[in-house]
Amino acid sequence: MNVAATGQHVVITGAAGALGRAAVQFFEAQGARLALLDHHLDKLQSTFAGIDTARHVLLEVDVTSAASAAQAGQGALAHLGHVDALVHIAGGFDMGPAVHELSREAWTHMMDLNAWSFAAVTQAFVPSMVQRGSGSVVAVSAKTATRGLAAMSAYIASKSALQRLVEASAAELAPHGIRVNSIAPSVLDTPANRAAMPDADRSAWIPTDVAAATIGYLVSPAAAALFGQHLALGA
């Protein structure tokens, strides 16, 4: 599966995580130039110790902060010149208490990490896409965003909010030649999920390279007709 062109410029948030690393591998294999963003620069540097920093750039960002995202956006654009695709992987998961026991802090943490972060990072990169009249944004939502589940209220609400933001952004940006979509995996097969659920049946889990390839599809010309869609991954 090819992305639009060998010279594509791609920004990836959460790049040092399991799915982020798979996405980096996918796009690097396609010949893209990359801006890799994560919460800690030292983690990025250790994860991508051998990466060509003349071609790619590593940038620290707090995706819950619009100011931090704006600073990272300036650094990415200074290095890449322009951005063809923004892949927003950064986010998080916490189990929680029942709704009637939910704290404001737990609610805010999930909403900031999974929903507000989308607004913050798109504010940093979408204006330059609008100026060029082209681009693609892909977020990572969740298959569970469609309905509530016990002990997951804040997480599911935040991923549902993310999907609504994706849909609204898609409607707003389509006239500017920019596509906005998400992938919505069930459970990703990551070391963290294996550690958290050691006895689970992993046969239906989604390999990170499969999820990364689906992201690649969404930024490719093959997905040119998709706007505000959430590609559910997993049975």
Side-chain angles (χ1 to χ4, degrees):
M1 181 188 302
N2 259 329
V3 291
T6 304
Q8 250 202 345
H9 297 179
V10 181
V11 174
I12 301 173
T13 72
L19 179 53
R21 294 193 300 272
V24 170
Q25 184 176 18
F26 177 88
F27 284 106
E28 195 172 24
Q30 303 297 323
R33 292 186 63 196
L34 306 174
L36 308 183
L37 281 56
D38 210 285
H39 195 59
H40 298 291
L41 184 60
D42 56 353
K43 185 177 181 182
L44 278 168
Q45 291 170 333
S46 61
T47 301
F48 302 106
I51 202 163
D52 180 0
T53 53
R55 183 171 177 78
H56 312 301
V57 63
L58 311 180
L59 296 165
E60 184 171 284
V61 66
D62 175 1
V63 295
T64 68
S65 164
S68 178
Q71 185 175 12
Q74 291 168 4
L77 288 166
H79 189 88
L80 297 178
H82 71 272
V83 171
D84 298 297
L86 168 62
V87 178
H88 181 45
I89 296 173
F93 171 80
D94 284 334
M95 294 293 289
V99 173
H100 67 278
E101 298 172 334
L102 185 65
S103 70
R104 184 60 178 267
E105 291 75 19
W107 171 265
T108 300
H109 176 64
M110 284 288 93
M111 294 301 290
D112 279 353
L113 196 54
N114 292 323
W116 169 249
S117 66
F118 179 80
V121 298
T122 55
Q123 287 169 18
F125 292 102
V126 163
S128 68
M129 292 181 179
V130 170
Q131 288 180 350
R132 296 183 73 242
S134 67
S136 178
V137 179
V138 179
V140 177
S141 60
K143 193 174 182 183
T144 55
T146 58
R147 60 185 298 270
L149 295 171
M152 295 173 63
S153 58
Y155 170 75
I156 291 175
S158 68
K159 287 295 190 180
S160 180
L162 172 59
Q163 290 193 342
R164 305 297 79 78
L165 290 171
V166 164
E167 293 158 7
S169 186
E172 293 159 354
L173 295 176
H176 299 282
I178 300 165
R179 295 179 289 113
V180 187
N181 296 286
S182 86
I183 65 166
S186 52
V187 180
L188 289 170
D189 192 352
T190 67
N193 283 338
R194 288 189 176 218
M197 298 175 278
D199 300 322
D201 176 8
R202 297 195 294 269
S203 62
W205 289 14
I206 311 304
T208 54
D209 61 339
V210 171
T214 308
I215 291 170
Y217 163 71
L218 283 175
V219 306
S220 75
L226 296 183
F227 296 85
Q229 300 301 303
H230 313 293
L231 298 192
L233 309 182

